[in-house]
Amino acid sequence: EAQVTQNPRYLITVTGKKLTVTCSQNMNHEYMSWYRQDPGLGLRQIYYSMNVEVTDKGDVPEGYKVSRKEKRNFPLILESPSPNQTSLYFCASSSRTGIEQFFGPGTRLTVL
Amino acid sequence: GESVGLHLPTLSVQEGDNSIINCAYSNSASDYFIWYKQESGKGPQFIIDIRSNMDKRQGQRVTVLLNKTVKHLSLQIAATQPGDSAVYFCAENLVRGQNFVFGPGTRLSVLP
């Protein structure tokens, strides 16, 4: 089954404790993105990647890092999480020739 | 499941009626415009897209209209069904597959 998976689905952590949210897709897509979703703000793009070792900032990259060492994986790293990063996070992927993004199920992060 | 948004504009329609969801976009240079549907507890799901050189595109039970003069996008759903109840987002894309900007969303509620 073609899908985007994220782990963990739920995470509660404390300020300053480094964490990684994993994202993996099995569709051989070139493009991958991370978004955060907050009430009333829609989805805002954090980072995106056009292929292995190629990443670029979205609209809200501060406080986040990403890496794309393999085509299928695109982890989101929070080196020092803060309470304003409490949000619902989505990973998405798409092919280079298509505009359709496939989204993962989301990760609910709470930073205390 | 995760809450998508607490204070979204809401459109309530009777089952079987047609729905029209509107969206204003910001960048006149955007090349693609996309509609997504998000059900409670799930990631957004692609519905339909339209390129900037078109003003209308039809899918299965859905039609997207693009008015570049006033930077307005609409999604029409024919014969609305209970399964159409969800939050609908428009998104604009400047360069295919890369930077996406989403609108705040509209909640569609289908009344029996």
Side-chain angles (χ1 to χ4, degrees):
Chain A
E1 179 190 357
Q3 61 182 348
V4 178
T5 57
Q6 296 178 226
N7 282 292
R9 294 290 315 279
Y10 301 90
L11 179 60
I12 300 175
T13 189
V14 295
T15 298
K17 186 176 181 182
K18 181 180 178 180
L19 66 90
T20 299
V21 183
T22 65
C23 172
S24 183
Q25 51 93 5
N26 63 2
M27 295 168 278
N28 200 36
H29 284 165
E30 290 81 9
Y31 292 156
M32 297 186 75
S33 290
W34 275 104
Y35 295 88
R36 60 177 289 172
Q37 185 173 34
D38 302 289
L41 295 178
L43 289 96
R44 292 179 292 167
Q45 194 172 36
I46 303 171
Y47 270 96
Y48 60 94
S49 169
M50 289 76 79
N51 215 323
V52 174
E53 302 291 3
V54 182
T55 63
D56 206 351
K57 296 178 181 178
D59 293 324
V60 288
E62 292 76 22
Y64 304 95
K65 285 176 57 178
V66 292
S67 70
R68 187 92 182 273
K69 293 183 169 56
E70 303 167 284
K71 195 173 186 180
R72 63 182 292 127
N73 296 323
F74 190 43
L76 179 69
I77 303 154
L78 285 71
E79 296 268 3
S80 183
S82 63
N84 65 12
Q85 293 178 298
T86 292
S87 188
L88 179 58
Y89 291 87
F90 288 100
C91 180
S93 74
S94 61
S95 71
R96 183 172 48 203
T97 56
I99 198 68
E100 178 178 356
Q101 289 187 92
F102 293 83
F103 281 80
T107 295
R108 169 69 73 183
L109 173 64
T110 301
V111 183
L112 302 174
Chain B
E2 299 86 357
S3 64
V4 171
L6 299 177
H7 305 292
L8 291 174
T10 298
L11 173 66
S12 296
V13 299
Q14 213 68 38
E15 182 179 353
D17 287 351
N18 296 335
S19 304
I20 300 176
I21 301 170
N22 297 303
C23 175
Y25 64 90
S26 58
N27 192 338
S28 56
S30 292
D31 196 21
Y32 289 91
F33 302 88
I34 311 104
W35 281 99
Y36 287 90
K37 173 186 180 183
Q38 187 176 26
E39 296 174 288
S40 181
K42 297 184 179 180
Q45 181 182 12
F46 175 91
I47 302 172
I48 192 169
D49 68 274
I50 187 168
R51 199 166 183 182
S52 59
N53 60 357
M54 302 171 67
D55 52 23
K56 181 179 181 178
R57 190 172 186 207
Q58 290 184 293
Q60 189 177 17
R61 268 200 319 119
V62 296
T63 301
V64 57
L65 299 178
L66 175 63
N67 186 331
K68 293 183 287 293
T69 303
V70 294
K71 293 195 284 188
H72 183 267
L73 190 65
S74 69
L75 177 71
Q76 301 177 3
I77 304 173
T80 312
Q81 302 168 359
D84 295 326
S85 292
V87 177
Y88 289 81
F89 293 96
C90 66
E92 53 186 304
N93 179 230
L94 187 62
V95 177
R96 183 201 283 260
Q98 298 180 26
N99 187 259
F100 288 86
V101 177
F102 280 74
T106 297
R107 186 182 305 278
L108 176 64
S109 178
V110 181
L111 308 172

